[in-house]
Amino acid sequence: MNDERSADMTLPSTRAQTETLGVVLLLMITLAGTGLIVALGSSVLDDSKRAAELDSAEHAMTQLDSKASLVGIGETDIQRVNLGVGNDGQPLTRTQDGWMRVEVDPDDGAAVEVMNQTLGAVVYRNDQTTIAYQGGGVWRRTGEGSTMVSPPEFHYRETTLTLPLIIVGGDGGLSPRLEVSKNGSAESKFPLAEPKKTNPLSEATVNITVGSDSYRAWGNFFEQRTGGEVEYDHSANAVTLTLVTPTKAPKIKQGLASTSPQELVIEGAGGSSFTDSYNSSIGPYSETEGSKGTVNTVGGVSLSGGAEIEGDLVTGGGIVKMQSANTAITGNLSYGGSTSLHKKATVGGWTADNGSVEQIDPIGSMIKNQAESVEANNDNGRSDAIDGRGLDPSKSAWTLTNGNYYVDDLGLNSGETLSLDLQNGDIDVVVDDDVMLNGGTIQVQNPDNGTANVYVLGDTVSVTNGADVSIPGDKSRAFRIYGPPGTSATVSGDDTEFVGVLYAPDSRSQYGDVSVTSHGEVYGAIVGGKTVLRSGGTVHYDQALVMTETLPADFTTVPRVTYMHVSTNRVNVTSA
């Protein structure tokens, strides 16, 4: 019993201790919760304060942007501004960060550097975020991300680029009260009275590259304001905008257009060499044969041995020679140089010294841009005709349907056939090297549903030894081969036929050539370099081509630039 009484006597003391412990625990939890609330509240207040500071800094930098523009590209020499930031432990600094390079890359020569300039910046920092005035714009960056607060002095409208770049300099530390002053006169960088630095631009690509911590935001600005082709170099914190000069590509109004100043030659000896016409919008050549086979050429022309142009001849210069009695032009002769006509040569229409040939620009840069796009994103993998980057070598017949394809070369020998089925739309094929049809066949199917375009990066297009490029109804607009300046093209041999358009204009320094010989026949049109028709070579101009665009629609999506105005405008930003 004593043991039981002893146990009972300890119970009140144990309960008291338990109750006391509970009170202590409750108090600790309450205090901890209060501390957590205080800590969370403090964090929210800090975040709110930082957000307000950054918003204020953005507004302040936009004010600086406005004042600097008045000084840099306006008529004011000095402007002052009180930013109201920088006294709270988040200092303003001036840096020599960032750069911009502008280059003009002509189709026919080395790139010309227009400008390569350090930008400089005024920077506000708050924790992990910076807000910077740079290149005439305001940029906000946090971590690797960046956004544009205010746009730079970069104006692109239609085909004109105006770039009055503002460069930041100065000495000493910066306080919130700033003075912006001119640092010399504006310096023109383009145009200048120097070769390849004049307006209007032609046959060139313009590249504008910016290196900056905010390069991603610069890139977004380029994309939105120009619709341009933008390439990022993340390793260098840089972005490049590419613009190209508009290509003069007039409608195809003639069977032959030579862009070379060298003599165009049509020789009838060894077979009847001539040009004539048809209209595939009405019917094939056999049903619509006509005499509209016009020839246009930059240089002179030589006709001999029974050669005949069933249509007009228009030259921009040189001598028109009709060297034998049985040479003929059934239409008009419009020349820009002089004539030397055999007394028995015939011109069916009028003859006048009023020749003028419309300029046709080369398309090398356009083909390059197209090739880069297709190489990066193509449909090779979904076609059983393609093995890697070429036609499947285990086959002798292949079919391509609508899509984009990239192959290293395109060679077809006798007994091999490539079908291009346009049932579901256009087909684009980029050939990294040459096109060589040595007796092989290309069949274009369903020509009313699209166009098959072949872009050649090499310098040779050869259709020989009975090769056949055919289209139902001789509808030449459905197949086009585009070549860079300097392309050498040949259509030659008995039973060799090419239905389509071969388009490879010369540049000012790269000259190609075209030969249609040995009874080779073209149905459609040819635009190229120095041209020769010999020994039965003939060109049958498809008048339906005048109703279609010369270049594919996606060629026109590349942003254009014809006029460029680039200058540097230096300002000093110092404490007031």
Side-chain angles (χ1 to χ4, degrees):
M1 282 192 64
N2 290 337
D3 293 338
E4 291 176 1
R5 278 198 297 270
S6 297
D8 290 340
M9 291 174 63
T10 64
L11 288 175
S13 175
T14 302
R15 291 194 187 100
Q17 292 174 354
T18 300
E19 290 172 357
T20 300
L21 180 60
V23 171
V24 171
L25 289 173
L26 180 60
L27 180 60
M28 291 176 66
I29 292 170
T30 301
L31 291 173
T34 302
L36 180 60
I37 291 171
V38 170
L40 289 173
S42 176
S43 175
V44 170
L45 288 173
D46 286 345
D47 289 344
S48 178
K49 179 174 179 289
R50 185 177 299 110
E53 290 171 347
L54 290 171
D55 287 344
S56 178
E58 284 188 1
H59 178 70
M61 285 297 191
T62 302
Q63 284 186 301
L64 174 61
D65 180 8
S66 176
K67 300 293 186 181
S69 292
L70 288 174
V71 174
I73 59 178
E75 299 298 325
T76 306
D77 289 335
I78 296 177
Q79 288 283 308
R80 292 182 176 87
V81 59
N82 186 355
L83 301 185
V85 297
N87 289 333
D88 56 357
Q90 313 295 340
L92 289 169
T93 58
R94 183 195 315 100
T95 74
Q96 289 299 300
D97 294 339
W99 52 272
M100 179 181 287
R101 182 175 63 244
V102 180
E103 291 180 319
V104 176
D105 190 1
D107 282 349
D108 58 354
V112 176
E113 187 172 86
V114 172
M115 179 178 68
N116 193 348
Q117 181 64 56
T118 298
L119 298 177
V122 175
V123 182
Y124 169 84
R125 290 182 173 83
N126 191 323
D127 196 24
Q128 300 299 311
T129 300
T130 63
I131 299 172
Y133 170 72
Q134 182 185 65
V138 179
W139 316 90
R140 176 170 175 162
R141 182 173 65 88
T142 302
E144 293 186 355
S146 59
T147 57
M148 182 184 71
V149 177
S150 179
E153 297 295 344
F154 183 103
H155 310 284
Y156 175 77
R157 185 173 182 179
E158 295 180 348
T159 62
T160 299
L161 170 64
T162 304
L163 175 54
L165 182 65
I166 297 179
I167 299 165
V168 172
D171 297 313
L174 297 182
S175 67
R177 295 179 179 274
L178 298 177
E179 180 178 280
V180 184
S181 60
K182 278 189 183 296
N183 182 9
S185 301
E187 182 181 357
S188 178
K189 297 292 186 179
F190 196 101
L192 297 174
E194 298 179 15
K196 299 185 180 179
K197 289 189 178 181
T198 59
N199 282 322
L201 293 160
S202 66
E203 303 175 26
T205 299
V206 175
N207 294 310
I208 301 104
T209 303
V210 174
S212 169
D213 288 342
S214 302
Y215 74 100
R216 295 175 189 266
W218 276 93
N220 287 334
F221 168 76
F222 288 152
E223 289 171 345
Q224 293 169 7
R225 295 300 176 91
T226 70
E229 197 157 315
V230 174
E231 182 176 351
Y232 295 89
D233 183 349
H234 299 295
S235 64
N237 284 1
V239 60
T240 298
L241 167 68
T242 298
L243 305 171
V244 300
T245 54
T247 299
K248 294 181 179 66
K251 294 290 183 67
I252 298 176
K253 302 175 183 179
Q254 65 288 311
L256 273 181
S258 175
T259 57
S260 171
Q262 297 176 290
E263 188 176 70
L264 183 151
V265 176
I266 303 179
E267 295 180 351
S272 179
S273 296
F274 64 93
T275 66
D276 64 358
S277 66
Y278 70 105
N279 191 334
S280 68
S281 66
I282 301 173
Y285 175 77
S286 61
E287 298 174 6
T288 62
E289 179 183 349
S291 56
K292 300 292 184 181
T294 295
V295 175
N296 284 14
T297 179
V298 172
V301 175
S302 174
L303 278 69
S304 63
E308 186 172 9
I309 295 174
E310 293 187 24
D312 298 334
L313 172 61
V314 182
T315 75
I319 305 173
V320 176
K321 304 173 187 176
M322 300 179 71
Q323 300 176 353
S324 55
N326 54 349
T327 55
I329 300 170
T330 65
N332 302 317
L333 170 57
S334 176
Y335 62 93
S338 60
T339 62
S340 175
L341 309 183
H342 190 282
K343 63 181 180 180
K344 291 188 177 180
T346 59
V347 177
W350 49 258
T351 298
D353 182 7
N354 61 356
S356 177
V357 176
E358 193 169 7
Q359 180 180 346
I360 302 175
D361 285 344
I363 55 171
S365 60
M366 311 286 277
I367 293 173
K368 180 181 177 183
N369 290 336
Q370 186 79 357
E372 289 174 351
S373 174
V374 173
E375 184 175 24
N377 184 20
N378 59 63
D379 299 306
N380 286 19
R382 71 173 180 82
S383 173
D384 58 10
I386 303 289
D387 180 17
R389 291 192 3 168
L391 297 176
D392 185 345
S394 68
K395 302 177 179 180
S396 60
W398 308 267
T399 298
L400 294 177
T401 57
N402 69 298
N404 301 318
Y405 305 95
Y406 195 101
V407 295
D408 289 329
D409 55 51
L410 182 58
L412 297 175
N413 295 317
S414 180
E416 296 179 329
T417 300
L418 172 63
S419 297
L420 302 174
D421 189 351
L422 301 172
Q423 178 65 45
N424 296 315
D426 294 346
I427 297 173
D428 287 341
V429 180
V430 173
V431 181
D432 194 58
D433 199 353
D434 299 328
V435 173
M436 306 289 288
L437 306 184
N438 183 22
T441 298
I442 292 179
Q443 296 177 342
V444 179
Q445 301 169 351
N446 298 299
D448 293 330
N449 291 12
T451 304
N453 303 303
V454 178
Y455 305 96
V456 182
L457 292 174
D459 59 8
T460 302
V461 175
S462 178
V463 183
T464 60
N465 297 326
D468 182 30
V469 179
S470 63
I471 307 174
D474 297 331
K475 296 181 178 181
S476 64
R477 65 151 203 87
F479 182 71
R480 304 190 180 207
I481 295 181
Y482 294 101
T487 295
S488 178
T490 302
V491 179
S492 180
D494 290 337
D495 300 321
T496 298
E497 291 188 359
F498 175 90
V499 180
V501 176
L502 173 64
Y503 196 88
D506 281 344
S507 71
R508 286 173 294 188
S509 65
Q510 293 175 288
Y511 302 112
D513 58 81
V514 176
S515 61
V516 183
T517 65
S518 304
H519 302 282
E521 291 188 83
V522 173
Y523 296 82
I526 293 176
V527 178
K530 178 184 177 181
T531 303
V532 174
L533 271 61
R534 179 181 290 124
S535 302
T538 58
V539 175
H540 312 288
Y541 168 54
D542 184 358
Q543 293 176 264
L545 291 172
V546 79
M547 297 182 288
T548 63
E549 292 299 323
T550 302
L551 300 178
D554 51 5
F555 267 15
T556 63
T557 62
V558 182
R560 315 294 195 190
V561 59
T562 301
Y563 296 91
M564 189 164 65
H565 305 277
V566 179
S567 63
T568 54
N569 306 267
R570 300 177 185 276
V571 299
N572 286 334
V573 180
T574 57
S575 293

